[in-house]
Amino acid sequence: MGVEKDPVTVIGLGPMGQAMARAFLKAGHPTTVWNRTASRADAVVAEGAVRARSAAEALAAGRLVVLSLTDYDAMYAILGEVGDALRGRVVVNLSSDTPGRAREATAWFAGHGAEHLAGGIMVPAELVATESSYVFYSGPKAEFDRYEPVLRVLGRPDFRGTDPALGQAFYQAQLHVFLTSLAAYLESVALLGAVGVTAETFQPYVKDLFDTMSYYLPGATKHLDNGDHPGDAANVTMMGATADHIVGAAVEAGIDGRLPAAVKALYDSAIADGRGKESWTSLVEVIRKPA
């Protein structure tokens, strides 16, 4: 006989929740699901999941509960109605919110007799349970260690520490780079479109740029952690002039230039702070101490 695998409850069945439920099912874990809109469970129930009639019934199915909700407000709205059903549960909360709210949620769960592992999954739904998938976690180490083999089903588990804020902090930091980079890409597509260049023509060039960006990280990391910003290569004045030209190009093209204007404002602040001859990494000092 095979080893019986831990049962898992998944609450929240948008595309990500459905992908996680499928991953648990494929790995042989008995999987119970619940969603406010019951029809969202239909597909995974057809594939072997058990549909709970209520959130409380879903919690009763096992000790390990995975949440995939829009934010923590949605979590409170659902779990605030379950009474004592949370007691004894380990809630792996992969809903998105701020680090501070993750700390608050840990205290809330403790008040209901439950443990809270907070974090975020760093791939879209279609890449869940693939080699590309990884997930940040933080919270009680003993519970993470206990369920790490189960959580590994979703992707590489990356435990960031016992402070419940850390998983969300890493998650939001990664998403900030991701969202801002994509917005900059769209701005550049619009800029080139104004002079008749298609996104398809631009694609190989921007791909090369994205691939090259990691080249700058090791040197920048050293200076950021050491707190020194030698400007012998790309200093703030030079980079600020470039930022100004990008804003001007956006104005000429007649496109929305709020993103490059925000970047230029950081360089302007660094120059006003006397950092013109320092490296572009010194912008972090402006960011850390906003006016």
Side-chain angles (χ1 to χ4, degrees), residues 243 247 258-272 283 286:
V247 171
R258 283 177 289 178
L259 182 57
V263 174
K264 178 182 180 297
L266 291 174
Y267 282 98
D268 290 345
S269 294
I271 291 169
L283 265 64
V286 173

Side-chain angles (χ1 to χ4, degrees), residues 42-288:
D42 291 348
V44 291
V45 167
E47 295 171 35
V50 175
R51 187 199 311 267
R53 292 170 296 182
S54 66
E57 184 178 287
L59 292 170
R63 186 166 183 260
L64 180 62
V65 181
V66 177
L67 303 183
S68 180
L69 301 167
T70 303
D71 52 28
Y72 281 28
D73 284 342
M75 174 195 75
Y76 289 126
I78 292 168
L79 298 185
E81 301 175 350
V82 300
D84 199 44
L86 275 170
R87 188 163 302 280
R89 301 297 175 264
V90 175
V91 179
V92 179
N93 189 0
L94 300 183
S95 312
S96 177
D97 219 304
T98 69
R101 295 208 78 192
R103 286 197 184 112
E104 292 169 0
T106 294
W108 184 84
F109 277 112
H112 289 76
E115 299 278 9
H116 180 224
L117 279 166
I121 186 164
M122 293 309 311
V123 292
E126 59 268 25
L127 294 181
V128 169
T130 68
E131 291 184 359
S132 300
S133 183
Y134 65 103
V135 190
F136 291 122
Y137 299 96
S138 60
K141 184 65 162 57
E143 299 297 352
F144 172 80
D145 289 342
R146 164 68 180 83
Y147 289 110
E148 189 271 346
V150 185
L151 299 175
R152 186 168 289 279
V153 167
L154 302 178
R156 186 181 78 252
D158 192 330
F159 184 75
R160 293 286 86 207
T162 57
D163 180 347
L166 287 169
Q168 276 294 322
F170 271 86
Y171 179 62
Q172 299 301 340
Q174 289 282 79
L175 287 181
H176 178 47
V177 174
F178 179 69
L179 292 181
T180 306
S181 298
L182 290 184
Y185 163 66
L186 295 176
E187 185 110 27
S188 296
V189 167
L191 179 64
L192 285 171
V195 292
V197 179
T198 66
E200 184 177 4
T201 300
F202 183 43
Q203 191 270 338
Y205 299 98
V206 75
K207 180 183 183 301
D208 283 347
L209 180 61
F210 274 119
D211 290 346
T212 305
M213 289 293 288
S214 61
Y215 165 82
Y216 300 98
L217 295 180
T221 298
K222 181 181 71 173
H223 296 305
L224 290 166
D225 284 343
N226 290 342
D228 63 329
H229 306 285
D232 49 349
N235 66 39
V236 165
T237 297
M238 181 182 74
M239 299 284 273
T242 299
D244 186 52
H245 300 154
I246 297 168
V247 171
V251 171
E252 283 186 3
I255 64 175
D256 188 315
R258 283 177 289 178
L259 182 57
V263 174
K264 178 182 180 297
L266 291 174
Y267 282 98
D268 290 345
S269 294
I271 291 169
D273 199 34
R275 299 183 179 276
K277 294 183 179 180
E278 296 182 354
S279 165
W280 63 273
T281 58
S282 68
L283 265 64
V284 75
E285 309 301 343
V286 173
I287 294 166
R288 285 171 172 158

